[in-house]
mmCIF file of all heavy atoms in Angstrom:
data_model
loop_
_atom_site.group_PDB
_atom_site.id
_atom_site.type_symbol
_atom_site.label_atom_id
_atom_site.label_comp_id
_atom_site.label_asym_id
_atom_site.label_seq_id
_atom_site.Cartn_x
_atom_site.Cartn_y
_atom_site.Cartn_z
ATOM 1 N N LEU A 1 0.786 -1.174 -0.028
ATOM 2 C CA LEU A 1 0.007 -0.010 0.005
ATOM 3 C C LEU A 1 0.811 1.285 0.043
ATOM 4 O O LEU A 1 0.404 2.354 -0.440
ATOM 5 C CB LEU A 1 -1.006 -0.012 1.235
ATOM 6 C CG LEU A 1 -2.078 -1.039 1.141
ATOM 7 C CD1 LEU A 1 -2.849 -1.058 2.421
ATOM 8 C CD2 LEU A 1 -3.011 -0.813 -0.057
ATOM 9 N N LEU A 2 2.086 1.130 0.487
ATOM 10 C CA LEU A 2 2.979 2.309 0.429
ATOM 11 C C LEU A 2 3.742 2.447 -0.910
ATOM 12 O O LEU A 2 4.484 3.315 -1.137
ATOM 13 C CB LEU A 2 4.032 2.121 1.550
ATOM 14 C CG LEU A 2 3.541 2.287 3.004
ATOM 15 C CD1 LEU A 2 4.635 1.925 3.998
ATOM 16 C CD2 LEU A 2 3.035 3.768 3.177
ATOM 17 N N GLY A 3 3.391 1.485 -1.823
ATOM 18 C CA GLY A 3 3.981 1.535 -3.188
ATOM 19 C C GLY A 3 5.260 0.811 -3.385
ATOM 20 O O GLY A 3 5.900 0.928 -4.440
ATOM 21 N N TYR A 4 5.599 -0.122 -2.530
ATOM 22 C CA TYR A 4 6.783 -0.927 -2.681
ATOM 23 C C TYR A 4 6.515 -1.959 -3.718
ATOM 24 O O TYR A 4 5.392 -2.450 -3.909
ATOM 25 C CB TYR A 4 7.138 -1.630 -1.377
ATOM 26 C CG TYR A 4 7.841 -0.828 -0.355
ATOM 27 C CD1 TYR A 4 7.127 0.260 0.330
ATOM 28 C CD2 TYR A 4 9.165 -1.057 0.058
ATOM 29 C CE1 TYR A 4 7.777 0.945 1.278
ATOM 30 C CE2 TYR A 4 9.780 -0.394 0.966
ATOM 31 C CZ TYR A 4 9.149 0.726 1.627
ATOM 32 O OH TYR A 4 9.764 1.461 2.587
ATOM 33 N N SER A 5 7.559 -2.380 -4.491
ATOM 34 C CA SER A 5 7.426 -3.345 -5.486
ATOM 35 C C SER A 5 7.538 -4.719 -4.833
ATOM 36 O O SER A 5 7.952 -4.781 -3.645
ATOM 37 C CB SER A 5 8.531 -3.317 -6.553
ATOM 38 O OG SER A 5 9.797 -3.626 -5.955
ATOM 39 N N SER A 6 7.204 -5.789 -5.465
ATOM 40 C CA SER A 6 7.282 -7.171 -4.861
ATOM 41 C C SER A 6 8.749 -7.447 -4.513
ATOM 42 O O SER A 6 8.987 -8.097 -3.497
ATOM 43 C CB SER A 6 6.631 -8.232 -5.783
ATOM 44 O OG SER A 6 7.318 -8.188 -7.057
ATOM 45 N N ARG A 7 9.589 -7.041 -5.295
ATOM 46 C CA ARG A 7 11.103 -7.182 -4.991
ATOM 47 C C ARG A 7 11.480 -6.491 -3.695
ATOM 48 O O ARG A 7 12.195 -7.017 -2.890
ATOM 49 C CB ARG A 7 11.947 -6.733 -6.226
ATOM 50 C CG ARG A 7 13.377 -6.762 -5.929
ATOM 51 C CD ARG A 7 14.015 -8.094 -6.105
ATOM 52 N NE ARG A 7 14.176 -8.829 -4.814
ATOM 53 C CZ ARG A 7 14.303 -10.080 -4.648
ATOM 54 N NH1 ARG A 7 14.276 -10.925 -5.655
ATOM 55 N NH2 ARG A 7 14.364 -10.560 -3.403
ATOM 56 N N GLN A 8 11.045 -5.278 -3.522
ATOM 57 C CA GLN A 8 11.291 -4.463 -2.387
ATOM 58 C C GLN A 8 10.738 -5.062 -1.215
ATOM 59 O O GLN A 8 11.249 -5.042 -0.083
ATOM 60 C CB GLN A 8 10.883 -2.990 -2.626
ATOM 61 C CG GLN A 8 11.655 -2.255 -3.600
ATOM 62 C CD GLN A 8 11.091 -0.907 -3.958
ATOM 63 O OE1 GLN A 8 9.857 -0.776 -4.103
ATOM 64 N NE2 GLN A 8 11.891 0.096 -4.130
ATOM 65 N N ILE A 9 9.472 -5.594 -1.291
ATOM 66 C CA ILE A 9 8.745 -6.158 -0.227
ATOM 67 C C ILE A 9 9.506 -7.423 0.308
ATOM 68 O O ILE A 9 9.700 -7.624 1.402
ATOM 69 C CB ILE A 9 7.322 -6.481 -0.601
ATOM 70 C CG1 ILE A 9 6.538 -5.183 -0.816
ATOM 71 C CG2 ILE A 9 6.676 -7.322 0.558
ATOM 72 C CD1 ILE A 9 5.160 -5.396 -1.416
ATOM 73 N N ALA A 10 9.926 -8.239 -0.642
ATOM 74 C CA ALA A 10 10.693 -9.504 -0.335
ATOM 75 C C ALA A 10 11.942 -9.072 0.387
ATOM 76 O O ALA A 10 12.269 -9.621 1.399
ATOM 77 C CB ALA A 10 11.015 -10.315 -1.632
ATOM 78 N N ASP A 11 12.709 -8.066 -0.141
ATOM 79 C CA ASP A 11 13.876 -7.663 0.557
ATOM 80 C C ASP A 11 13.712 -7.224 1.975
ATOM 81 O O ASP A 11 14.356 -7.581 2.875
ATOM 82 C CB ASP A 11 14.557 -6.565 -0.299
ATOM 83 C CG ASP A 11 15.198 -7.056 -1.583
ATOM 84 O OD1 ASP A 11 15.377 -8.280 -1.712
ATOM 85 O OD2 ASP A 11 15.464 -6.206 -2.452
ATOM 86 N N LYS A 12 12.636 -6.437 2.124
ATOM 87 C CA LYS A 12 12.284 -5.818 3.387
ATOM 88 C C LYS A 12 11.917 -6.903 4.447
ATOM 89 O O LYS A 12 12.402 -6.949 5.580
ATOM 90 C CB LYS A 12 11.175 -4.816 3.293
ATOM 91 C CG LYS A 12 10.831 -4.070 4.587
ATOM 92 C CD LYS A 12 12.017 -3.107 4.868
ATOM 93 C CE LYS A 12 11.603 -2.329 6.115
ATOM 94 N NZ LYS A 12 12.721 -1.501 6.565
ATOM 95 N N VAL A 13 10.970 -7.817 4.075
ATOM 96 C CA VAL A 13 10.527 -8.832 5.004
ATOM 97 C C VAL A 13 11.675 -9.869 5.365
ATOM 98 O O VAL A 13 11.903 -10.315 6.490
ATOM 99 C CB VAL A 13 9.338 -9.644 4.580
ATOM 100 C CG1 VAL A 13 8.072 -8.745 4.545
ATOM 101 C CG2 VAL A 13 9.523 -10.393 3.279
ATOM 102 N N ASN A 14 12.606 -10.054 4.351
ATOM 103 C CA ASN A 14 13.801 -10.854 4.685
ATOM 104 C C ASN A 14 14.763 -10.216 5.605
ATOM 105 O O ASN A 14 15.279 -10.781 6.508
ATOM 106 C CB ASN A 14 14.473 -11.227 3.321
ATOM 107 C CG ASN A 14 13.704 -12.207 2.528
ATOM 108 O OD1 ASN A 14 12.903 -12.996 2.980
ATOM 109 N ND2 ASN A 14 13.854 -12.045 1.163
ATOM 110 N N GLN A 15 14.846 -8.813 5.394
ATOM 111 C CA GLN A 15 15.727 -8.067 6.402
ATOM 112 C C GLN A 15 15.152 -8.078 7.798
ATOM 113 O O GLN A 15 15.881 -8.122 8.794
ATOM 114 C CB GLN A 15 15.832 -6.598 5.920
ATOM 115 C CG GLN A 15 16.734 -6.388 4.801
ATOM 116 C CD GLN A 15 16.602 -4.989 4.225
ATOM 117 O OE1 GLN A 15 15.903 -4.094 4.744
ATOM 118 N NE2 GLN A 15 17.391 -4.754 3.128
ATOM 119 N N LEU A 16 13.850 -8.150 7.920
ATOM 120 C CA LEU A 16 13.167 -8.167 9.243
ATOM 121 C C LEU A 16 13.251 -9.616 9.839
ATOM 122 O O LEU A 16 12.825 -9.826 11.000
ATOM 123 C CB LEU A 16 11.711 -7.766 9.137
ATOM 124 C CG LEU A 16 11.496 -6.295 8.717
ATOM 125 C CD1 LEU A 16 10.084 -5.978 8.399
ATOM 126 C CD2 LEU A 16 12.002 -5.395 9.831
ATOM 127 N N GLY A 17 13.802 -10.530 9.104
ATOM 128 C CA GLY A 17 13.978 -11.871 9.633
ATOM 129 C C GLY A 17 12.847 -12.856 9.383
ATOM 130 O O GLY A 17 12.832 -13.975 9.869
ATOM 131 N N TYR A 18 11.840 -12.433 8.617
ATOM 132 C CA TYR A 18 10.755 -13.338 8.332
ATOM 133 C C TYR A 18 11.152 -14.385 7.268
ATOM 134 O O TYR A 18 12.020 -14.102 6.411
ATOM 135 C CB TYR A 18 9.559 -12.572 7.725
ATOM 136 C CG TYR A 18 8.922 -11.597 8.712
ATOM 137 C CD1 TYR A 18 8.722 -10.247 8.406
ATOM 138 C CD2 TYR A 18 8.440 -11.994 10.007
ATOM 139 C CE1 TYR A 18 8.145 -9.305 9.257
ATOM 140 C CE2 TYR A 18 7.905 -11.097 10.934
ATOM 141 C CZ TYR A 18 7.746 -9.852 10.457
ATOM 142 O OH TYR A 18 7.104 -8.939 11.406
ATOM 143 N N ARG A 19 10.604 -15.582 7.405
ATOM 144 C CA ARG A 19 10.941 -16.666 6.446
ATOM 145 C C ARG A 19 9.687 -17.407 6.156
ATOM 146 O O ARG A 19 8.651 -17.313 6.796
ATOM 147 C CB ARG A 19 11.923 -17.639 7.154
ATOM 148 C CG ARG A 19 13.339 -17.040 7.455
ATOM 149 C CD ARG A 19 14.020 -16.728 6.172
ATOM 150 N NE ARG A 19 15.332 -16.155 6.339
ATOM 151 C CZ ARG A 19 15.631 -14.808 6.194
ATOM 152 N NH1 ARG A 19 14.736 -14.043 5.880
ATOM 153 N NH2 ARG A 19 16.811 -14.449 6.402
ATOM 154 N N SER A 20 9.772 -18.126 5.058
ATOM 155 C CA SER A 20 8.595 -18.940 4.520
ATOM 156 C C SER A 20 8.426 -20.161 5.428
ATOM 157 O O SER A 20 9.215 -20.327 6.423
ATOM 158 C CB SER A 20 8.796 -19.421 3.217
ATOM 159 O OG SER A 20 9.887 -20.427 3.077
ATOM 160 N N ARG A 21 7.450 -20.948 5.194
ATOM 161 C CA ARG A 21 7.078 -22.137 6.013
ATOM 162 C C ARG A 21 8.338 -23.061 6.115
ATOM 163 O O ARG A 21 8.586 -23.612 7.147
ATOM 164 C CB ARG A 21 6.032 -22.936 5.347
ATOM 165 C CG ARG A 21 4.688 -22.460 5.624
ATOM 166 C CD ARG A 21 3.680 -23.522 4.982
ATOM 167 N NE ARG A 21 2.520 -22.733 4.589
ATOM 168 C CZ ARG A 21 1.716 -23.149 3.635
ATOM 169 N NH1 ARG A 21 1.917 -24.262 2.912
ATOM 170 N NH2 ARG A 21 0.701 -22.387 3.374
ATOM 171 N N LYS A 22 9.031 -23.155 5.041
ATOM 172 C CA LYS A 22 10.209 -24.063 5.034
ATOM 173 C C LYS A 22 11.438 -23.447 5.538
ATOM 174 O O LYS A 22 12.552 -24.026 5.443
ATOM 175 C CB LYS A 22 10.434 -24.590 3.542
ATOM 176 C CG LYS A 22 9.210 -25.410 3.104
ATOM 177 C CD LYS A 22 9.494 -25.911 1.693
ATOM 178 C CE LYS A 22 8.306 -26.737 1.245
ATOM 179 N NZ LYS A 22 8.515 -27.203 -0.157
ATOM 180 N N GLY A 23 11.418 -22.150 5.953
ATOM 181 C CA GLY A 23 12.551 -21.422 6.454
ATOM 182 C C GLY A 23 13.408 -20.747 5.455
ATOM 183 O O GLY A 23 14.455 -20.299 5.742
ATOM 184 N N ASN A 24 12.864 -20.661 4.242
ATOM 185 C CA ASN A 24 13.550 -19.990 3.128
ATOM 186 C C ASN A 24 13.253 -18.465 3.167
ATOM 187 O O ASN A 24 12.090 -18.134 3.446
ATOM 188 C CB ASN A 24 13.239 -20.607 1.843
ATOM 189 C CG ASN A 24 13.589 -22.095 1.686
ATOM 190 O OD1 ASN A 24 14.615 -22.490 2.239
ATOM 191 N ND2 ASN A 24 12.756 -22.947 1.171
ATOM 192 N N PRO A 25 14.181 -17.706 2.586
ATOM 193 C CA PRO A 25 13.884 -16.277 2.431
ATOM 194 C C PRO A 25 12.728 -16.132 1.389
ATOM 195 O O PRO A 25 12.574 -16.944 0.449
ATOM 196 C CB PRO A 25 15.157 -15.677 1.838
ATOM 197 C CG PRO A 25 16.252 -16.616 2.173
ATOM 198 C CD PRO A 25 15.529 -18.009 2.240
ATOM 199 N N PHE A 26 12.001 -14.991 1.483
ATOM 200 C CA PHE A 26 10.874 -14.763 0.546
ATOM 201 C C PHE A 26 11.456 -14.266 -0.782
ATOM 202 O O PHE A 26 12.394 -13.609 -0.837
ATOM 203 C CB PHE A 26 9.937 -13.727 1.103
ATOM 204 C CG PHE A 26 8.999 -14.239 2.139
ATOM 205 C CD1 PHE A 26 9.270 -14.210 3.495
ATOM 206 C CD2 PHE A 26 7.828 -14.843 1.761
ATOM 207 C CE1 PHE A 26 8.440 -14.731 4.405
ATOM 208 C CE2 PHE A 26 6.981 -15.421 2.662
ATOM 209 C CZ PHE A 26 7.213 -15.319 3.957
ATOM 210 N N LYS A 27 10.798 -14.729 -1.830
ATOM 211 C CA LYS A 27 11.104 -14.302 -3.170
ATOM 212 C C LYS A 27 9.960 -13.558 -3.750
ATOM 213 O O LYS A 27 8.856 -13.603 -3.209
ATOM 214 C CB LYS A 27 11.504 -15.465 -4.119
ATOM 215 C CG LYS A 27 12.683 -16.223 -3.601
ATOM 216 C CD LYS A 27 13.038 -17.367 -4.539
ATOM 217 C CE LYS A 27 14.214 -18.061 -4.046
ATOM 218 N NZ LYS A 27 14.536 -19.257 -4.908
ATOM 219 N N THR A 28 10.113 -12.869 -4.832
ATOM 220 C CA THR A 28 9.049 -11.989 -5.425
ATOM 221 C C THR A 28 7.780 -12.885 -5.797
ATOM 222 O O THR A 28 6.666 -12.360 -5.464
ATOM 223 C CB THR A 28 9.565 -11.262 -6.675
ATOM 224 O OG1 THR A 28 10.141 -12.209 -7.525
ATOM 225 C CG2 THR A 28 10.465 -10.159 -6.298
ATOM 226 N N ASP A 29 7.948 -13.999 -6.269
ATOM 227 C CA ASP A 29 6.761 -14.818 -6.654
ATOM 228 C C ASP A 29 5.948 -15.227 -5.444
ATOM 229 O O ASP A 29 4.657 -15.199 -5.417
ATOM 230 C CB ASP A 29 7.183 -16.004 -7.503
ATOM 231 C CG ASP A 29 8.108 -16.956 -6.735
ATOM 232 O OD1 ASP A 29 8.799 -16.468 -5.823
ATOM 233 O OD2 ASP A 29 8.137 -18.205 -7.088
ATOM 234 N N ARG A 30 6.582 -15.416 -4.335
ATOM 235 C CA ARG A 30 5.921 -15.788 -3.123
ATOM 236 C C ARG A 30 5.152 -14.580 -2.578
ATOM 237 O O ARG A 30 4.025 -14.746 -2.089
ATOM 238 C CB ARG A 30 6.840 -16.292 -2.093
ATOM 239 C CG ARG A 30 6.216 -16.799 -0.801
ATOM 240 C CD ARG A 30 5.283 -18.033 -1.111
ATOM 241 N NE ARG A 30 4.752 -18.450 0.127
ATOM 242 C CZ ARG A 30 3.481 -18.901 0.242
ATOM 243 N NH1 ARG A 30 2.753 -19.011 -0.785
ATOM 244 N NH2 ARG A 30 3.010 -19.287 1.416
ATOM 245 N N VAL A 31 5.774 -13.461 -2.598
ATOM 246 C CA VAL A 31 5.126 -12.141 -2.200
ATOM 247 C C VAL A 31 3.912 -11.918 -2.996
ATOM 248 O O VAL A 31 2.859 -11.580 -2.501
ATOM 249 C CB VAL A 31 6.131 -10.897 -2.261
ATOM 250 C CG1 VAL A 31 5.386 -9.650 -2.024
ATOM 251 C CG2 VAL A 31 7.219 -11.155 -1.305
ATOM 252 N N LEU A 32 4.022 -12.009 -4.356
ATOM 253 C CA LEU A 32 2.930 -11.818 -5.196
ATOM 254 C C LEU A 32 1.721 -12.847 -4.926
ATOM 255 O O LEU A 32 0.586 -12.474 -4.941
ATOM 256 C CB LEU A 32 3.300 -11.851 -6.643
ATOM 257 C CG LEU A 32 4.140 -10.684 -7.236
ATOM 258 C CD1 LEU A 32 4.647 -11.008 -8.593
ATOM 259 C CD2 LEU A 32 3.360 -9.441 -7.145
#
């Protein structure tokens, strides 16, 4: 909602330490 792209969102949530169910960093396709 702030206008971040899916790539920027993935980078940000990864920097915050969030991970997928399997413990992997988020990628753009998962964010979308």
